[in-house]
Amino acid sequence: MEYPTDPQIYAISISSATDTTSLLPGVVFTIDQVNGKLFNREPLPYGFHVDSVMLSLTGSTSYGFSGIEVTLEPDSSYAWNRSDSIAIPRLRKIKTTAPDGVTSKSYDFQLNIYQEDPYILTWEKIGENYLNSPVESQATILYRDRFYTYYQSGDEIKAVSTDISDTPGWEAVVLSGIPHTLRLSSLITSGNIIYALDAATGAVYHSPDGVNWSIVQTEYEVKAIYGELPNAAAGNILLAVSHDEKVRFARASNDFSDIVLMNDLPANMPVIDFTAMKVESKTSYASKFIFLSGGNTTSDALNNDIWILQEDGGVIKYITSKRPDGILKGSSLFYYDDKPYLIATSAGKNILMYSDNYGIDWIKAEENQSFPENFAGRTNTSAVTDADNNIWIFGGISSSNTQLVDIWKGRLNKFALD
């Protein structure tokens, strides 16, 4: 009889009676057969500890292995009988021998545990006074891997731009075709185009480069641009438009050449000066939404809700969150760490909130994620996240109703530890 010659490990699991939170059975191990490594890509929580575990290894056949040798730190190797527990904090190598009793393979073992609290959000002031006075209003967007800050200065709309950097090198942008009444709070990006509404005429303007702007002819009067719909038809933009003396949702193609009317807009949904956020979950295919917070309705009433919108069968369905703590006027939404986040105001200070269930409930962030003491309270700030898991906060309106011209950057420890 010929016994199998494959010594490779094909599955590994661990458990421990002292693991009272039952985290170990859910640990997913990566088995690197080429480099001979066993490790968990997602570290166990900060502070997790067990002294010993029961180990289960699976080979290519029911024969398993003819022998298994483990090496513990410091340099203690022995033949493991597969029933004794193993001191997991000291386990460094596993050597398996195939059923033929000859062929063997060694693996380096690493059980990764966060050595620092991964959910500390560290904030740093990056710069200030990067806009020329006067500044009446401002908005910053991320466009083609650059930050663009558009701001109202006297009777002009001006702009500056910089690469993403901890030492931004702002350059003046010489704008063309942009009306001085552009509503900066309406700026959105869709694909390689920037869109915004003219507050004076209600006309849609667009720019293919952030510099040159021109008017877009639309079939209906556009009341609001809510942003790019997160669905399979990439580039569709959700609007609020006037039609037959009603305000309705509408879906526009990326160049606004085709606008499809949808259901009526609820009367208390904001259409101006709101903050919007697109949500596309990395872990839930169905979790594709647009969130709205703050702003004013068509009757100029304050919006005191967070709205969650989703397209379903050509209809926009919507619900509101359980109302969170804090004031939503001038709030800011952003998506980070696969969660919706909200910057609101409470007692003259900013509070950071997040949702674990896609906006149904909101939780006030713990002290390890709060803003630093020297972070001036503000409203109408621009909150932007980048591909390196940084949060950028640009300016805003202070409690004394003056424009702030500063930049802050935040990042969770878990991303710095990856």
Side-chain angles (χ1 to χ4, degrees), residues 130 146-149 159-163 168-174:
Y130 66 99
R146 291 180 66 86
F147 292 125
Y148 281 77
T149 297
V160 293
S161 177
T162 181
D163 288 327
W170 292 97
E171 302 171 357
V173 177
V174 181

Side-chain angles (χ1 to χ4, degrees), residues 35-98:
N35 299 301
K37 294 183 182 296
L38 293 167
F39 61 96
N40 53 315
R41 289 187 182 276
E42 177 60 33
L44 284 159
Y46 172 66
F48 179 84
H49 177 79
V50 292
D51 290 319
S52 60
V53 303
M54 299 303 297
L55 178 65
S56 175
L57 302 176
T58 302
S60 61
T61 69
S62 60
Y63 289 102
F65 307 99
S66 63
I68 300 174
E69 181 182 284
V70 297
T71 299
L72 305 182
E73 196 178 59
D75 299 327
S76 171
S77 297
Y78 64 93
W80 178 54
N81 63 11
R82 305 178 215 188
S83 60
D84 287 344
S85 60
I86 293 178
I88 196 73
R90 297 171 53 204
L91 180 61
R92 292 297 173 263
K93 288 185 181 294
I94 300 175
K95 181 181 178 181
T96 54
T97 302

Side-chain angles (χ1 to χ4, degrees), residues 12-214:
I12 175 175
S13 63
I14 54 177
S15 61
S16 173
T18 60
D19 174 23
T20 56
T21 53
S22 299
L23 289 174
L24 291 179
V27 174
V28 177
F29 283 94
T30 295
I31 304 175
D32 183 347
Q33 304 289 14
V34 175
N35 299 301
K37 294 183 182 296
L38 293 167
F39 61 96
N40 53 315
R41 289 187 182 276
E42 177 60 33
L44 284 159
Y46 172 66
F48 179 84
H49 177 79
V50 292
D51 290 319
S52 60
V53 303
M54 299 303 297
L55 178 65
S56 175
L57 302 176
T58 302
S60 61
T61 69
S62 60
Y63 289 102
F65 307 99
S66 63
I68 300 174
E69 181 182 284
V70 297
T71 299
L72 305 182
E73 196 178 59
D75 299 327
S76 171
S77 297
Y78 64 93
W80 178 54
N81 63 11
R82 305 178 215 188
S83 60
D84 287 344
S85 60
I86 293 178
I88 196 73
R90 297 171 53 204
L91 180 61
R92 292 297 173 263
K93 288 185 181 294
I94 300 175
K95 181 181 178 181
T96 54
T97 302
D100 68 354
V102 177
T103 314
S104 64
K105 185 174 181 64
S106 292
Y107 295 88
D108 293 327
F109 179 86
Q110 180 67 48
L111 182 66
N112 291 315
I113 301 172
Y114 279 118
Q115 299 304 302
E116 298 179 35
D117 183 353
Y119 293 102
I120 291 176
L121 185 50
T122 303
W123 294 99
E124 177 185 5
K125 192 173 187 178
I126 297 297
E128 57 187 343
N129 299 325
Y130 66 99
L131 301 179
N132 294 325
S133 297
V135 178
E136 279 85 34
S137 61
Q138 57 180 300
T140 301
I141 59 172
L142 181 59
Y143 175 65
R144 291 183 173 177
D145 296 322
R146 291 180 66 86
F147 292 125
Y148 281 77
T149 297
Y150 295 87
Y151 63 104
Q152 181 82 42
S153 182
D155 292 332
E156 291 183 82
I157 296 288
K158 299 181 179 180
V160 293
S161 177
T162 181
D163 288 327
I164 300 173
S165 170
D166 285 347
T167 55
W170 292 97
E171 302 171 357
V173 177
V174 181
L175 299 173
S176 171
I178 194 168
H180 72 277
T181 50
L182 197 76
R183 179 173 285 127
L184 299 182
S185 63
S186 69
L187 282 163
I188 70 151
T189 60
S190 177
N192 288 322
I193 310 277
I194 306 174
Y195 292 99
L197 285 175
D198 182 2
T201 65
V204 177
Y205 277 76
H206 80 298
S207 173
D209 55 13
V211 178
N212 299 292
W213 290 77
S214 59

Side-chain angles (χ1 to χ4, degrees), residues 17 54 59 68 137 164 283 303 357 395 399 401:
M54 299 303 297
I68 300 174
S137 61
I164 300 173
T283 56
N303 166 49
N357 53 11
S399 56
N401 205 33

Side-chain angles (χ1 to χ4, degrees), residues 168-278:
W170 292 97
E171 302 171 357
V173 177
V174 181
L175 299 173
S176 171
I178 194 168
H180 72 277
T181 50
L182 197 76
R183 179 173 285 127
L184 299 182
S185 63
S186 69
L187 282 163
I188 70 151
T189 60
S190 177
N192 288 322
I193 310 277
I194 306 174
Y195 292 99
L197 285 175
D198 182 2
T201 65
V204 177
Y205 277 76
H206 80 298
S207 173
D209 55 13
V211 178
N212 299 292
W213 290 77
S214 59
I215 197 168
V216 178
Q217 298 300 325
T218 58
E219 186 177 354
Y220 306 98
E221 179 189 355
V222 178
K223 292 291 188 181
I225 306 176
Y226 291 127
E228 197 172 68
L229 276 166
N231 56 23
N236 282 341
I237 300 169
L238 182 63
L239 311 173
V241 301
S242 290
H243 178 68
D244 289 343
E245 298 183 352
K246 292 183 177 181
V247 180
R248 301 178 63 176
F249 290 112
R251 184 180 64 242
S253 58
N254 186 256
D255 60 0
F256 277 66
S257 61
D258 182 35
I259 297 180
V260 178
L261 291 174
M262 305 172 81
N263 48 307
D264 291 349
L265 198 81
N268 51 343
M269 183 171 287
V271 291
I272 61 170
D273 296 335
F274 53 84
T275 176
M277 168 182 63
K278 181 171 76 169

